[in-house]
Amino acid sequence: MASIDLDKVLDKAWADKSLPEILAAPVDALKGVSERQGDLLKEAFGVKTVADLADLKFAHWARALAALDSAR
């Protein structure tokens, strides 16, 4: 089972929310992502929510390529 310290990855306003609320939140709910960066992600890739970011095919491809490299 996966776990994560929400205080380390979410802005304070989101740390006490439920997982469905977090996944539906705008990407700027993630610590270190500004509202402007969220707007740019929306403009470039159609990413509106944390769930959208998690499902971004380009991120999946990059993660797969990195995994291939670490398997060498």
Side-chain angles (χ1 to χ4, degrees):
M1 182 171 171
S3 67
I4 190 167
D5 184 349
L6 296 180
D7 289 330
K8 290 185 178 180
V9 298
L10 297 173
D11 283 342
K12 282 187 177 191
W14 292 94
D16 64 343
K17 304 292 185 196
S18 69
L19 186 55
E21 289 173 306
I22 293 167
L23 292 172
V27 293
D28 59 50
L30 298 171
K31 192 173 278 189
V33 179
S34 70
E35 188 174 333
R36 174 70 179 134
Q37 290 167 325
D39 290 341
L40 291 171
L41 283 166
K42 182 178 177 183
E43 182 181 321
F45 301 110
V47 170
K48 299 175 189 172
T49 67
V50 172
D52 292 340
L53 183 59
D55 288 337
L56 185 62
K57 67 181 176 184
F58 304 110
H60 289 279
W61 295 346
R63 197 172 307 113
L65 289 167
L68 287 173
D69 184 57
S70 67
R72 293 192 289 155

